[in-house]
Amino acid sequence: MKKILLCSEFYYPQVGGVEIHNKILFDYFKKNKFKVYVATSFNAKRLSNNNIFEFKIKGNFVRGYSGETKRYQDFLIKENFDLIFFNAAQQWSFDLALPVIENINSKKILFPCGFSRLGNYFYFPYFKLIKLKIDYFDEIICSYKTSRDYKFLSEIFKKKIHLIHNGSEKIVKRYNHKKIFRDFKIKPNTQVFMNVSNIKFNKGQERVISLFDKIPHENSILFLMGQNHSSFYFVYIKILIFLFNKKNKGKKIYLLPPNNIIKQKLYSISNFFLFGSRLEYDPLVMYEAIVSKTKFISNDVGSCKNVINDNYGLVSNDDDKKIQYILRKIKTNRVKNLSVKNFFWDTICKKYFGVFEKYLK
């Protein structure tokens, strides 16, 4: 039975785009009878799992490393996986592989996830190293052609770069909307807005609150769902919510901890997803919003402009345009019967299998 290793800085129970992406791939390939393993950072909250190799490592090429760096490099060289998939650059599980990449006999696939530091002066030596080492990889997967990782790699990588966008799980259950409204104590005919993101500065929750504040529709509610990182920014967001709720009667904001079932329920009743992120690649929540037919309102970040059209939502850096779009959609209140099957993870994973397949025979 062929062995696949998925490498990422973090993994479940931590929650984020890369973590969910790797978990989806893990479950898909395991279901298809492959031996699948994950290499990631140690997490004291993680239950023991023979398929997860944990390393007490922090850092990256530029910031420097601490921890079990040699143990990880030896692991990549000696374990003889048939295929290693590196999910995201600019973090230790990929960066530590670069110096020893020529000694890793496994087939190697890179999903760079954006190269957000490309152009940063401190990262010049890093991207120079990538140029020297990139052809030791067998395949590269990017999400879209206009991304900076695709543009950079297409000039230096001698083989084909595959384009596979992210996706969403299917919303299996048909929830009772009236019951959900009762459970959340939402009045009838309320416009429901939502946001799902880890609570940190780059995710821009304060932008979401600001936009929601400007929408002239009193009978509205906003749910912010995100993980508490015990940061100054999290405290700041809680203060903004407190002040907002104190001055508003018809509009309210609620902060919820991550919960997949509640998230699914929110998608099923929400009219709009407000996205304030400052830094993205191909955000998973965008595809979740599309699949749930929740209008996705976003700044021009990552792949959003490539995917979102008037049927799915609006991408603009102009808040006035966003408000006009929201008010227009509230007034028409029509949901088109859009085809979303190309955004399901089942479809996306088959594309990954198409890339991986020749190395797993």
Side-chain angles (χ1 to χ4, degrees), residues 108-150:
K108 297 167 285 291
I109 296 178
L110 169 63
F111 182 72
C113 204
F115 286 162
S116 62
R117 302 295 182 187
L118 189 63
N120 183 314
Y121 174 80
F122 294 103
Y123 280 76
F124 282 3
Y126 177 70
F127 287 104
K128 186 175 181 180
L129 179 63
I130 287 177
K131 285 182 179 180
L132 292 172
K133 301 279 190 169
I134 197 65
D135 281 319
Y136 284 104
F137 289 88
D138 298 279
E139 309 278 353
I140 291 176
I141 299 172
C142 294
S143 286
Y144 54 106
K145 267 191 174 181
T146 56
S147 63
R148 61 174 68 192
D149 55 357
Y150 181 88

mmCIF file of all heavy atoms in Angstrom, residues 108-150:
data_model
loop_
_atom_site.group_PDB
_atom_site.id
_atom_site.type_symbol
_atom_site.label_atom_id
_atom_site.label_comp_id
_atom_site.label_asym_id
_atom_site.label_seq_id
_atom_site.Cartn_x
_atom_site.Cartn_y
_atom_site.Cartn_z
ATOM 1 N N LYS A 108 7.803 14.547 -4.751
ATOM 2 C CA LYS A 108 7.512 15.735 -3.948
ATOM 3 C C LYS A 108 6.599 16.685 -4.710
ATOM 4 O O LYS A 108 6.869 17.041 -5.861
ATOM 5 C CB LYS A 108 8.826 16.442 -3.587
ATOM 6 C CG LYS A 108 9.740 15.580 -2.713
ATOM 7 C CD LYS A 108 11.150 16.124 -2.611
ATOM 8 C CE LYS A 108 11.969 15.880 -3.882
ATOM 9 N NZ LYS A 108 12.301 14.463 -4.096
ATOM 10 N N ILE A 109 5.524 17.107 -4.031
ATOM 11 C CA ILE A 109 4.567 18.036 -4.617
ATOM 12 C C ILE A 109 4.426 19.240 -3.689
ATOM 13 O O ILE A 109 4.303 19.098 -2.475
ATOM 14 C CB ILE A 109 3.195 17.367 -4.833
ATOM 15 C CG1 ILE A 109 3.320 16.223 -5.860
ATOM 16 C CG2 ILE A 109 2.153 18.386 -5.300
ATOM 17 C CD1 ILE A 109 2.043 15.468 -6.116
ATOM 18 N N LEU A 110 4.442 20.433 -4.286
ATOM 19 C CA LEU A 110 4.342 21.671 -3.510
ATOM 20 C C LEU A 110 3.055 22.418 -3.851
ATOM 21 O O LEU A 110 2.729 22.626 -5.018
ATOM 22 C CB LEU A 110 5.545 22.581 -3.814
ATOM 23 C CG LEU A 110 5.470 24.019 -3.283
ATOM 24 C CD1 LEU A 110 5.422 24.038 -1.759
ATOM 25 C CD2 LEU A 110 6.642 24.844 -3.801
ATOM 26 N N PHE A 111 2.343 22.817 -2.802
ATOM 27 C CA PHE A 111 1.231 23.760 -2.915
ATOM 28 C C PHE A 111 1.670 25.016 -2.163
ATOM 29 O O PHE A 111 1.561 25.106 -0.946
ATOM 30 C CB PHE A 111 -0.031 23.160 -2.289
ATOM 31 C CG PHE A 111 -1.251 24.050 -2.392
ATOM 32 C CD1 PHE A 111 -1.881 24.240 -3.610
ATOM 33 C CD2 PHE A 111 -1.776 24.684 -1.273
ATOM 34 C CE1 PHE A 111 -3.009 25.050 -3.705
ATOM 35 C CE2 PHE A 111 -2.895 25.483 -1.364
ATOM 36 C CZ PHE A 111 -3.517 25.671 -2.579
ATOM 37 N N PRO A 112 2.230 26.031 -2.847
ATOM 38 C CA PRO A 112 2.904 27.137 -2.153
ATOM 39 C C PRO A 112 1.991 28.058 -1.365
ATOM 40 O O PRO A 112 2.428 28.720 -0.429
ATOM 41 C CB PRO A 112 3.599 27.901 -3.283
ATOM 42 C CG PRO A 112 2.937 27.461 -4.532
ATOM 43 C CD PRO A 112 2.391 26.088 -4.306
ATOM 44 N N CYS A 113 0.734 28.135 -1.762
ATOM 45 C CA CYS A 113 -0.259 28.902 -1.003
ATOM 46 C C CYS A 113 0.045 30.399 -0.985
ATOM 47 O O CYS A 113 -0.126 31.064 0.031
ATOM 48 C CB CYS A 113 -0.385 28.347 0.419
ATOM 49 S SG CYS A 113 -1.963 28.685 1.212
ATOM 50 N N GLY A 114 0.542 30.926 -2.101
ATOM 51 C CA GLY A 114 0.534 32.364 -2.263
ATOM 52 C C GLY A 114 1.835 33.128 -2.288
ATOM 53 O O GLY A 114 1.924 34.173 -2.898
ATOM 54 N N PHE A 115 2.877 32.651 -1.557
ATOM 55 C CA PHE A 115 4.125 33.423 -1.462
ATOM 56 C C PHE A 115 3.855 34.868 -1.036
ATOM 57 O O PHE A 115 4.244 35.826 -1.720
ATOM 58 C CB PHE A 115 4.878 33.416 -2.793
ATOM 59 C CG PHE A 115 5.570 32.118 -3.128
ATOM 60 C CD1 PHE A 115 5.954 31.855 -4.438
ATOM 61 C CD2 PHE A 115 5.859 31.181 -2.154
ATOM 62 C CE1 PHE A 115 6.612 30.674 -4.772
ATOM 63 C CE2 PHE A 115 6.514 29.993 -2.476
ATOM 64 C CZ PHE A 115 6.888 29.738 -3.771
ATOM 65 N N SER A 116 3.196 35.047 0.083
ATOM 66 C CA SER A 116 2.791 36.389 0.523
ATOM 67 C C SER A 116 3.982 37.302 0.793
ATOM 68 O O SER A 116 3.857 38.524 0.758
ATOM 69 C CB SER A 116 1.927 36.292 1.785
ATOM 70 O OG SER A 116 2.662 35.705 2.855
ATOM 71 N N ARG A 117 5.184 36.730 1.063
ATOM 72 C CA ARG A 117 6.368 37.548 1.363
ATOM 73 C C ARG A 117 7.232 37.834 0.128
ATOM 74 O O ARG A 117 8.296 38.417 0.249
ATOM 75 C CB ARG A 117 7.225 36.850 2.422
ATOM 76 C CG ARG A 117 6.519 36.548 3.720
ATOM 77 C CD ARG A 117 6.118 37.798 4.443
ATOM 78 N NE ARG A 117 5.481 37.505 5.721
ATOM 79 C CZ ARG A 117 4.914 38.408 6.497
ATOM 80 N NH1 ARG A 117 4.896 39.667 6.120
ATOM 81 N NH2 ARG A 117 4.344 38.066 7.634
ATOM 82 N N LEU A 118 6.761 37.404 -1.020
ATOM 83 C CA LEU A 118 7.509 37.688 -2.243
ATOM 84 C C LEU A 118 7.609 39.200 -2.428
ATOM 85 O O LEU A 118 6.617 39.915 -2.406
ATOM 86 C CB LEU A 118 6.804 37.056 -3.441
ATOM 87 C CG LEU A 118 7.539 37.052 -4.773
ATOM 88 C CD1 LEU A 118 8.806 36.234 -4.699
ATOM 89 C CD2 LEU A 118 6.626 36.499 -5.873
ATOM 90 N N GLY A 119 8.825 39.712 -2.598
ATOM 91 C CA GLY A 119 9.033 41.149 -2.692
ATOM 92 C C GLY A 119 9.495 41.773 -1.390
ATOM 93 O O GLY A 119 9.991 42.902 -1.368
ATOM 94 N N ASN A 120 9.368 41.017 -0.291
ATOM 95 C CA ASN A 120 9.869 41.485 1.008
ATOM 96 C C ASN A 120 11.393 41.366 1.018
ATOM 97 O O ASN A 120 11.950 40.293 0.769
ATOM 98 C CB ASN A 120 9.241 40.637 2.122
ATOM 99 C CG ASN A 120 9.634 41.080 3.511
ATOM 100 O OD1 ASN A 120 10.804 41.330 3.793
ATOM 101 N ND2 ASN A 120 8.656 41.157 4.399
ATOM 102 N N TYR A 121 12.075 42.448 1.329
ATOM 103 C CA TYR A 121 13.540 42.501 1.278
ATOM 104 C C TYR A 121 14.182 41.370 2.084
ATOM 105 O O TYR A 121 15.155 40.755 1.647
ATOM 106 C CB TYR A 121 14.019 43.855 1.801
ATOM 107 C CG TYR A 121 15.521 43.975 1.917
ATOM 108 C CD1 TYR A 121 16.310 44.257 0.793
ATOM 109 C CD2 TYR A 121 16.160 43.778 3.144
ATOM 110 C CE1 TYR A 121 17.685 44.362 0.891
ATOM 111 C CE2 TYR A 121 17.545 43.875 3.253
ATOM 112 C CZ TYR A 121 18.292 44.174 2.132
ATOM 113 O OH TYR A 121 19.659 44.264 2.224
ATOM 114 N N PHE A 122 13.635 41.090 3.263
ATOM 115 C CA PHE A 122 14.224 40.077 4.138
ATOM 116 C C PHE A 122 14.093 38.664 3.566
ATOM 117 O O PHE A 122 14.803 37.759 3.996
ATOM 118 C CB PHE A 122 13.571 40.138 5.526
ATOM 119 C CG PHE A 122 13.855 41.416 6.260
ATOM 120 C CD1 PHE A 122 12.891 42.404 6.353
ATOM 121 C CD2 PHE A 122 15.098 41.650 6.836
ATOM 122 C CE1 PHE A 122 13.147 43.595 7.006
ATOM 123 C CE2 PHE A 122 15.371 42.832 7.510
ATOM 124 C CZ PHE A 122 14.393 43.811 7.586
ATOM 125 N N TYR A 123 13.189 38.497 2.602
ATOM 126 C CA TYR A 123 12.956 37.177 2.023
ATOM 127 C C TYR A 123 13.681 36.962 0.693
ATOM 128 O O TYR A 123 13.516 35.921 0.060
ATOM 129 C CB TYR A 123 11.448 36.927 1.846
ATOM 130 C CG TYR A 123 10.761 36.500 3.125
ATOM 131 C CD1 TYR A 123 10.473 37.420 4.125
ATOM 132 C CD2 TYR A 123 10.418 35.171 3.355
ATOM 133 C CE1 TYR A 123 9.855 37.038 5.309
ATOM 134 C CE2 TYR A 123 9.804 34.771 4.517
ATOM 135 C CZ TYR A 123 9.521 35.705 5.492
ATOM 136 O OH TYR A 123 8.917 35.323 6.683
ATOM 137 N N PHE A 124 14.474 37.931 0.262
ATOM 138 C CA PHE A 124 15.221 37.764 -0.992
ATOM 139 C C PHE A 124 16.066 36.488 -1.003
ATOM 140 O O PHE A 124 16.034 35.721 -1.979
ATOM 141 C CB PHE A 124 16.091 38.989 -1.262
ATOM 142 C CG PHE A 124 15.336 40.168 -1.819
ATOM 143 C CD1 PHE A 124 13.960 40.128 -2.003
ATOM 144 C CD2 PHE A 124 15.994 41.333 -2.170
ATOM 145 C CE1 PHE A 124 13.249 41.213 -2.502
ATOM 146 C CE2 PHE A 124 15.298 42.436 -2.674
ATOM 147 C CZ PHE A 124 13.926 42.366 -2.833
ATOM 148 N N PRO A 125 16.869 36.213 0.052
ATOM 149 C CA PRO A 125 17.667 34.961 0.053
ATOM 150 C C PRO A 125 16.789 33.705 0.013
ATOM 151 O O PRO A 125 17.175 32.703 -0.588
ATOM 152 C CB PRO A 125 18.456 35.047 1.363
ATOM 153 C CG PRO A 125 18.459 36.484 1.728
ATOM 154 C CD PRO A 125 17.157 37.032 1.235
ATOM 155 N N TYR A 126 15.624 33.788 0.635
ATOM 156 C CA TYR A 126 14.693 32.657 0.667
ATOM 157 C C TYR A 126 14.224 32.303 -0.742
ATOM 158 O O TYR A 126 14.279 31.134 -1.162
ATOM 159 C CB TYR A 126 13.517 33.017 1.562
ATOM 160 C CG TYR A 126 12.422 31.981 1.652
ATOM 161 C CD1 TYR A 126 12.624 30.779 2.319
ATOM 162 C CD2 TYR A 126 11.163 32.221 1.097
ATOM 163 C CE1 TYR A 126 11.608 29.836 2.427
ATOM 164 C CE2 TYR A 126 10.147 31.299 1.209
ATOM 165 C CZ TYR A 126 10.376 30.102 1.877
ATOM 166 O OH TYR A 126 9.367 29.174 1.982
ATOM 167 N N PHE A 127 13.773 33.314 -1.481
ATOM 168 C CA PHE A 127 13.269 33.036 -2.829
ATOM 169 C C PHE A 127 14.399 32.730 -3.810
ATOM 170 O O PHE A 127 14.184 32.036 -4.806
ATOM 171 C CB PHE A 127 12.380 34.180 -3.308
ATOM 172 C CG PHE A 127 11.046 34.193 -2.606
ATOM 173 C CD1 PHE A 127 10.772 35.105 -1.599
ATOM 174 C CD2 PHE A 127 10.084 33.252 -2.921
ATOM 175 C CE1 PHE A 127 9.554 35.097 -0.930
ATOM 176 C CE2 PHE A 127 8.862 33.225 -2.266
ATOM 177 C CZ PHE A 127 8.600 34.151 -1.267
ATOM 178 N N LYS A 128 15.603 33.191 -3.498
ATOM 179 C CA LYS A 128 16.770 32.784 -4.294
ATOM 180 C C LYS A 128 17.033 31.288 -4.097
ATOM 181 O O LYS A 128 17.331 30.558 -5.052
ATOM 182 C CB LYS A 128 17.993 33.601 -3.872
ATOM 183 C CG LYS A 128 19.209 33.353 -4.748
ATOM 184 C CD LYS A 128 20.364 34.275 -4.367
ATOM 185 C CE LYS A 128 21.573 34.026 -5.275
ATOM 186 N NZ LYS A 128 22.710 34.916 -4.927
ATOM 187 N N LEU A 129 16.888 30.812 -2.843
ATOM 188 C CA LEU A 129 17.049 29.382 -2.557
ATOM 189 C C LEU A 129 15.971 28.565 -3.262
ATOM 190 O O LEU A 129 16.256 27.495 -3.822
ATOM 191 C CB LEU A 129 16.998 29.138 -1.049
ATOM 192 C CG LEU A 129 17.118 27.684 -0.593
ATOM 193 C CD1 LEU A 129 18.465 27.094 -0.985
ATOM 194 C CD2 LEU A 129 16.907 27.567 0.914
ATOM 195 N N ILE A 130 14.741 29.051 -3.257
ATOM 196 C CA ILE A 130 13.660 28.349 -3.946
ATOM 197 C C ILE A 130 13.973 28.213 -5.438
ATOM 198 O O ILE A 130 13.757 27.154 -6.040
ATOM 199 C CB ILE A 130 12.312 29.061 -3.716
ATOM 200 C CG1 ILE A 130 11.842 28.829 -2.271
ATOM 201 C CG2 ILE A 130 11.251 28.568 -4.704
ATOM 202 C CD1 ILE A 130 10.560 29.528 -1.906
ATOM 203 N N LYS A 131 14.494 29.277 -6.034
ATOM 204 C CA LYS A 131 14.872 29.207 -7.454
ATOM 205 C C LYS A 131 15.896 28.102 -7.707
ATOM 206 O O LYS A 131 15.835 27.397 -8.715
ATOM 207 C CB LYS A 131 15.445 30.553 -7.908
ATOM 208 C CG LYS A 131 14.407 31.640 -8.111
ATOM 209 C CD LYS A 131 15.073 32.930 -8.604
ATOM 210 C CE LYS A 131 14.051 34.018 -8.842
ATOM 211 N NZ LYS A 131 14.676 35.277 -9.324
ATOM 212 N N LEU A 132 16.846 27.945 -6.797
ATOM 213 C CA LEU A 132 17.888 26.929 -6.948
ATOM 214 C C LEU A 132 17.358 25.514 -6.750
ATOM 215 O O LEU A 132 17.862 24.566 -7.349
ATOM 216 C CB LEU A 132 19.018 27.195 -5.942
ATOM 217 C CG LEU A 132 19.869 28.455 -6.164
ATOM 218 C CD1 LEU A 132 20.808 28.677 -4.983
ATOM 219 C CD2 LEU A 132 20.666 28.332 -7.459
ATOM 220 N N LYS A 133 16.322 25.382 -5.925
ATOM 221 C CA LYS A 133 15.874 24.044 -5.511
ATOM 222 C C LYS A 133 14.561 23.596 -6.168
ATOM 223 O O LYS A 133 14.180 22.429 -6.028
ATOM 224 C CB LYS A 133 15.682 24.029 -3.992
ATOM 225 C CG LYS A 133 16.938 24.362 -3.186
ATOM 226 C CD LYS A 133 17.839 23.157 -3.046
ATOM 227 C CE LYS A 133 18.968 23.425 -2.048
ATOM 228 N NZ LYS A 133 19.703 22.200 -1.698
ATOM 229 N N ILE A 134 13.874 24.483 -6.852
ATOM 230 C CA ILE A 134 12.500 24.204 -7.258
ATOM 231 C C ILE A 134 12.373 22.990 -8.175
ATOM 232 O O ILE A 134 11.364 22.264 -8.141
ATOM 233 C CB ILE A 134 11.855 25.453 -7.909
ATOM 234 C CG1 ILE A 134 10.341 25.305 -7.938
ATOM 235 C CG2 ILE A 134 12.419 25.708 -9.301
ATOM 236 C CD1 ILE A 134 9.699 25.265 -6.585
ATOM 237 N N ASP A 135 13.374 22.730 -8.987
ATOM 238 C CA ASP A 135 13.240 21.616 -9.933
ATOM 239 C C ASP A 135 13.450 20.244 -9.294
ATOM 240 O O ASP A 135 13.357 19.224 -9.978
ATOM 241 C CB ASP A 135 14.172 21.814 -11.128
ATOM 242 C CG ASP A 135 13.603 22.818 -12.128
ATOM 243 O OD1 ASP A 135 12.380 22.776 -12.375
ATOM 244 O OD2 ASP A 135 14.356 23.658 -12.637
ATOM 245 N N TYR A 136 13.725 20.213 -7.991
ATOM 246 C CA TYR A 136 13.722 18.938 -7.279
ATOM 247 C C TYR A 136 12.294 18.488 -6.966
ATOM 248 O O TYR A 136 12.086 17.342 -6.555
ATOM 249 C CB TYR A 136 14.524 19.035 -5.975
ATOM 250 C CG TYR A 136 16.023 19.030 -6.211
ATOM 251 C CD1 TYR A 136 16.765 20.208 -6.120
ATOM 252 C CD2 TYR A 136 16.697 17.846 -6.526
ATOM 253 C CE1 TYR A 136 18.137 20.204 -6.340
ATOM 254 C CE2 TYR A 136 18.068 17.839 -6.751
ATOM 255 C CZ TYR A 136 18.783 19.019 -6.653
ATOM 256 O OH TYR A 136 20.142 19.010 -6.877
ATOM 257 N N PHE A 137 11.324 19.383 -7.158
ATOM 258 C CA PHE A 137 9.925 19.000 -6.964
ATOM 259 C C PHE A 137 9.397 18.391 -8.252
ATOM 260 O O PHE A 137 9.777 18.779 -9.353
ATOM 261 C CB PHE A 137 9.089 20.220 -6.563
ATOM 262 C CG PHE A 137 9.375 20.685 -5.164
ATOM 263 C CD1 PHE A 137 10.398 21.593 -4.918
ATOM 264 C CD2 PHE A 137 8.663 20.184 -4.099
ATOM 265 C CE1 PHE A 137 10.690 22.003 -3.633
ATOM 266 C CE2 PHE A 137 8.939 20.590 -2.804
ATOM 267 C CZ PHE A 137 9.960 21.495 -2.563
ATOM 268 N N ASP A 138 8.500 17.415 -8.087
ATOM 269 C CA ASP A 138 7.951 16.710 -9.237
ATOM 270 C C ASP A 138 6.716 17.399 -9.807
ATOM 271 O O ASP A 138 6.467 17.335 -11.009
ATOM 272 C CB ASP A 138 7.609 15.269 -8.837
ATOM 273 C CG ASP A 138 8.846 14.514 -8.410
ATOM 274 O OD1 ASP A 138 9.576 14.029 -9.285
ATOM 275 O OD2 ASP A 138 9.116 14.445 -7.187
ATOM 276 N N GLU A 139 5.939 18.017 -8.944
ATOM 277 C CA GLU A 139 4.737 18.718 -9.387
ATOM 278 C C GLU A 139 4.533 19.947 -8.496
ATOM 279 O O GLU A 139 4.947 19.960 -7.330
ATOM 280 C CB GLU A 139 3.481 17.829 -9.252
ATOM 281 C CG GLU A 139 3.587 16.456 -9.864
ATOM 282 C CD GLU A 139 3.337 16.429 -11.359
ATOM 283 O OE1 GLU A 139 2.945 17.472 -11.923
ATOM 284 O OE2 GLU A 139 3.543 15.371 -11.971
ATOM 285 N N ILE A 140 3.870 20.945 -9.053
ATOM 286 C CA ILE A 140 3.444 22.109 -8.275
ATOM 287 C C ILE A 140 1.972 22.347 -8.560
ATOM 288 O O ILE A 140 1.513 22.217 -9.702
ATOM 289 C CB ILE A 140 4.270 23.364 -8.625
ATOM 290 C CG1 ILE A 140 5.707 23.202 -8.124
ATOM 291 C CG2 ILE A 140 3.651 24.622 -8.004
ATOM 292 C CD1 ILE A 140 6.630 24.355 -8.506
ATOM 293 N N ILE A 141 1.232 22.682 -7.515
ATOM 294 C CA ILE A 141 -0.195 23.003 -7.649
ATOM 295 C C ILE A 141 -0.414 24.417 -7.124
ATOM 296 O O ILE A 141 -0.006 24.745 -6.012
ATOM 297 C CB ILE A 141 -1.075 22.010 -6.859
ATOM 298 C CG1 ILE A 141 -0.879 20.585 -7.378
ATOM 299 C CG2 ILE A 141 -2.551 22.414 -6.954
ATOM 300 C CD1 ILE A 141 -1.564 19.516 -6.533
ATOM 301 N N CYS A 142 -1.031 25.260 -7.936
ATOM 302 C CA CYS A 142 -1.460 26.592 -7.505
ATOM 303 C C CYS A 142 -2.976 26.685 -7.678
ATOM 304 O O CYS A 142 -3.588 25.850 -8.343
ATOM 305 C CB CYS A 142 -0.773 27.677 -8.326
ATOM 306 S SG CYS A 142 1.022 27.775 -8.077
ATOM 307 N N SER A 143 -3.563 27.723 -7.099
ATOM 308 C CA SER A 143 -5.019 27.853 -7.178
ATOM 309 C C SER A 143 -5.495 28.653 -8.379
ATOM 310 O O SER A 143 -6.568 28.404 -8.907
ATOM 311 C CB SER A 143 -5.567 28.483 -5.893
ATOM 312 O OG SER A 143 -5.534 27.556 -4.835
ATOM 313 N N TYR A 144 -4.712 29.643 -8.812
ATOM 314 C CA TYR A 144 -5.175 30.470 -9.922
ATOM 315 C C TYR A 144 -3.989 31.153 -10.602
ATOM 316 O O TYR A 144 -2.954 31.389 -9.977
ATOM 317 C CB TYR A 144 -6.219 31.488 -9.474
ATOM 318 C CG TYR A 144 -5.811 32.373 -8.317
ATOM 319 C CD1 TYR A 144 -5.479 33.711 -8.509
ATOM 320 C CD2 TYR A 144 -5.783 31.882 -7.012
ATOM 321 C CE1 TYR A 144 -5.123 34.530 -7.457
ATOM 322 C CE2 TYR A 144 -5.430 32.694 -5.942
ATOM 323 C CZ TYR A 144 -5.101 34.013 -6.170
ATOM 324 O OH TYR A 144 -4.741 34.820 -5.124
ATOM 325 N N LYS A 145 -4.167 31.492 -11.876
ATOM 326 C CA LYS A 145 -3.054 31.976 -12.702
ATOM 327 C C LYS A 145 -2.588 33.376 -12.352
ATOM 328 O O LYS A 145 -1.440 33.723 -12.608
ATOM 329 C CB LYS A 145 -3.463 31.957 -14.185
ATOM 330 C CG LYS A 145 -3.088 30.679 -14.904
ATOM 331 C CD LYS A 145 -3.273 30.814 -16.403
ATOM 332 C CE LYS A 145 -2.754 29.554 -17.099
ATOM 333 N NZ LYS A 145 -2.886 29.638 -18.564
ATOM 334 N N THR A 146 -3.449 34.188 -11.781
ATOM 335 C CA THR A 146 -3.062 35.562 -11.478
ATOM 336 C C THR A 146 -2.377 35.687 -10.112
ATOM 337 O O THR A 146 -2.007 36.788 -9.716
ATOM 338 C CB THR A 146 -4.290 36.498 -11.504
ATOM 339 O OG1 THR A 146 -5.279 36.011 -10.590
ATOM 340 C CG2 THR A 146 -4.880 36.570 -12.906
ATOM 341 N N SER A 147 -2.220 34.588 -9.409
ATOM 342 C CA SER A 147 -1.587 34.626 -8.083
ATOM 343 C C SER A 147 -0.089 34.863 -8.215
ATOM 344 O O SER A 147 0.542 34.500 -9.213
ATOM 345 C CB SER A 147 -1.847 33.324 -7.327
ATOM 346 O OG SER A 147 -1.262 32.232 -8.008
ATOM 347 N N ARG A 148 0.503 35.454 -7.182
ATOM 348 C CA ARG A 148 1.931 35.766 -7.255
ATOM 349 C C ARG A 148 2.788 34.504 -7.230
ATOM 350 O O ARG A 148 3.865 34.479 -7.825
ATOM 351 C CB ARG A 148 2.342 36.715 -6.119
ATOM 352 C CG ARG A 148 2.133 36.188 -4.724
ATOM 353 C CD ARG A 148 2.705 37.148 -3.684
ATOM 354 N NE ARG A 148 1.954 38.394 -3.635
ATOM 355 C CZ ARG A 148 2.374 39.466 -2.986
ATOM 356 N NH1 ARG A 148 3.522 39.458 -2.358
ATOM 357 N NH2 ARG A 148 1.624 40.553 -2.952
ATOM 358 N N ASP A 149 2.313 33.425 -6.578
ATOM 359 C CA ASP A 149 3.108 32.192 -6.590
ATOM 360 C C ASP A 149 3.145 31.586 -7.989
ATOM 361 O O ASP A 149 4.190 31.139 -8.459
ATOM 362 C CB ASP A 149 2.616 31.185 -5.544
ATOM 363 C CG ASP A 149 1.145 30.833 -5.654
ATOM 364 O OD1 ASP A 149 0.436 31.404 -6.508
ATOM 365 O OD2 ASP A 149 0.675 29.990 -4.858
ATOM 366 N N TYR A 150 1.992 31.592 -8.689
ATOM 367 C CA TYR A 150 1.974 31.045 -10.055
ATOM 368 C C TYR A 150 2.876 31.863 -10.976
ATOM 369 O O TYR A 150 3.658 31.311 -11.766
ATOM 370 C CB TYR A 150 0.547 31.014 -10.604
ATOM 371 C CG TYR A 150 0.480 30.445 -12.002
ATOM 372 C CD1 TYR A 150 0.350 29.072 -12.206
ATOM 373 C CD2 TYR A 150 0.594 31.266 -13.126
ATOM 374 C CE1 TYR A 150 0.320 28.538 -13.490
ATOM 375 C CE2 TYR A 150 0.557 30.743 -14.406
ATOM 376 C CZ TYR A 150 0.421 29.378 -14.585
ATOM 377 O OH TYR A 150 0.399 28.854 -15.851
#
